[in-house]
Amino acid sequence: MLGSRGAWCAGRLRAVARAWLRGAPGGRSPALAPRRGAWPEPRGRPLGLSAAAVVDSAPRPLQPYLRLMRLDKPIGTWLLYLPCTWSIGLAADPGCFPDWYMLSLFGTGAVLMRGAGCTINDMWDREYDKKVTRTANRPIAAGNISTFQSFVFLGGQLTLALGVLLCLNYYSIALGAASLLLVVTYPLMKRITYWPQLALGLTFNWGALLGWSAVRGSCDPAVCLPLYFSGVMWTLIYDTIYAHQDKRDDALIGLKSTALLFRGHTKRWLGGFSAAMLGALGLVGASSGQTAPYYAALLAVGAHLARQVYTLDIHRPEDCWDKFTSNRTIGLILFLGIVLGNLWKEKKTDHTKKNTESSIENQ
């Protein structure tokens, strides 16, 4: 009788233990499970270092304006800024780093002008953006910002950008002001021509002219024109890839792009643009007396472009986006090659001076 009663008690204890384990988080006993409030719980949105996280952590009334500037997607700012850095780097004196003040000034201008360009684009395209899945949540299309508010915001951005421009010499001020016509009209080109990417290239690479003139006081056509042309070819590459994301929606609503024009021949066209870009950059190097690091960078850029074009899947929007964003790497490689190539000139000059001095002493 005692044995049966002991077995009954043991069974009851096992049942209670199982009930406790089922009720505890993660199957742990209540004694070992963390109590509510024992560890601090995260409050609000998690912090991050990405641009999107910074925008998400901004005050809510400010977020639509930051998204209108595309601050949550900084790749466009990079693609606008990098041709400026190439030009500033090439304009530096032999053996010297680029002018850091100019680099920072043009960086500020790139953020402001890219934001202004996106605002203009979204104002023009607000009705079209509502019909495209990828753009339907843009602030103006979604109704988060009114047309009047966006117009006032555009005025503020252009005023600040003008302040940056006025820090340059008179030649550069006039040259920069001349780009405003392109900035205002290029968003309309997708309604008119199958080459809106060309219009974007002419607009986005104006810094290839402006950076040199800001440092030197005027443009050297032998350097600036092929540099500008190479930037336009580069834009045709990456923006054609970008346009393949929206080609179905664009075809339905009547918008045009090189993606719709090239269709299955896209890779051949991209290969031609890549060759033209590299050829123009080679001419830039010859005209500016560039050295080995610059040409090594051109080889790396060529390899990156070849891989980008060869592996591109124009039918997968995710792959198109990845290939598009990888062009920042191309721009940074070229900038690094320009800087190192310019520093290399000092070494060659010093070596030449030593040889000249030694030959004079021997005579």
Side-chain angles (χ1 to χ4, degrees):
M1 184 174 178
L2 287 174
S4 61
R5 189 171 182 83
W8 179 82
C9 289
R12 292 290 295 170
L13 288 173
R14 283 195 298 270
V16 171
R18 281 196 297 270
W20 278 19
L21 289 173
R22 280 195 299 269
R28 292 171 292 188
S29 70
L32 296 178
R35 298 184 304 278
R36 184 178 299 275
W39 297 328
E41 296 181 5
R43 296 181 179 179
R45 292 182 294 273
L47 295 177
L49 295 178
S50 70
V54 171
V55 171
D56 287 341
S57 63
R60 291 197 179 276
L62 192 60
Q63 289 183 23
Y65 294 96
L66 300 181
R67 292 196 173 92
L68 183 59
M69 294 179 68
R70 308 287 198 276
L71 286 185
D72 55 329
K73 296 176 181 177
I75 180 60
T77 304
W78 277 108
L79 296 176
L80 177 62
Y81 177 54
L82 285 166
C84 306
T85 68
W86 304 343
S87 189
I88 293 169
L90 287 167
D93 291 330
C96 296
F97 283 101
D99 189 322
W100 296 108
Y101 173 71
M102 285 297 173
L103 288 174
S104 60
L105 202 63
F106 274 75
T108 304
V111 172
L112 293 169
M113 287 307 298
R114 195 259 177 144
C118 289
T119 303
I120 294 170
N121 182 80
D122 289 6
M123 289 170 68
W124 284 122
D125 290 352
R126 58 186 180 276
E127 297 302 325
Y128 288 104
D129 286 344
K130 295 175 183 178
K131 302 173 184 178
V132 178
T133 304
R134 190 178 58 82
T135 60
N137 63 345
R138 286 180 176 174
I140 298 177
N144 298 323
I145 298 177
S146 69
T147 303
F148 176 75
Q149 288 173 322
S150 61
F151 187 78
V152 173
F153 184 57
L154 173 63
Q157 292 176 92
L158 291 177
T159 301
L160 292 174
L162 177 62
V164 173
L165 185 63
L166 292 176
C167 295
L168 307 180
N169 55 61
Y170 291 123
Y171 183 98
S172 300
I173 292 172
L175 186 62
S179 69
L180 285 178
L181 181 63
L182 289 170
V183 172
V184 172
T185 58
Y186 88 81
L188 297 173
M189 293 298 107
K190 67 189 76 169
R191 298 164 171 80
I192 302 170
T193 174
Y194 279 101
W195 291 88
Q197 281 68 34
L198 178 59
L200 180 67
L202 294 172
T203 307
F204 251 49
N205 293 281
W206 203 257
L209 307 174
L210 197 57
W212 181 283
S213 71
V215 176
R216 297 289 184 94
S218 63
C219 284
D220 181 354
V223 177
C224 295
L225 291 183
L227 183 66
Y228 182 57
F229 176 79
S230 69
V232 173
M233 293 298 103
W234 185 41
T235 304
L236 281 168
I237 296 166
Y238 65 67
D239 206 51
T240 296
I241 294 172
Y242 181 88
H244 270 284
Q245 296 177 102
D246 301 328
K247 58 189 173 186
R248 290 177 183 150
D249 289 329
D250 287 347
L252 288 174
I253 61 181
L255 295 179
K256 299 176 176 67
S257 71
T258 48
L260 291 173
L261 178 64
F262 301 156
R263 298 183 183 272
H265 301 293
T266 291
K267 289 191 176 185
R268 295 180 187 176
W269 282 92
L270 296 183
F273 295 146
S274 299
M277 176 186 176
L278 293 170
L281 288 173
L283 184 58
V284 169
S287 300
S288 60
Q290 274 295 337
T291 53
Y294 175 83
Y295 294 104
L298 286 195
L299 290 176
V301 167
H304 193 294
L305 286 170
R307 182 181 181 279
Q308 178 175 270
V309 174
Y310 181 75
T311 61
L312 173 66
D313 185 350
I314 60 174
H315 303 297
R316 288 184 57 237
E318 301 84 2
D319 187 60
C320 291
W321 175 257
D322 290 341
K323 295 297 192 302
F324 167 71
T325 56
S326 74
N327 279 274
R328 179 178 63 176
T329 302
I330 289 177
L332 290 172
I333 290 172
L334 183 57
F335 175 62
L336 180 62
I338 290 170
V339 173
L340 294 179
N342 210 45
L343 293 175
W344 190 269
K345 291 179 185 178
E346 183 181 32
K347 295 180 181 179
K348 289 188 66 177
T349 303
D350 289 346
H351 181 67
T352 303
K353 285 181 179 179
K354 289 179 181 178
N355 288 339
T356 304
E357 291 173 358
S358 62
S359 62
I360 292 174
E361 289 174 359
N362 292 332
Q363 288 178 353

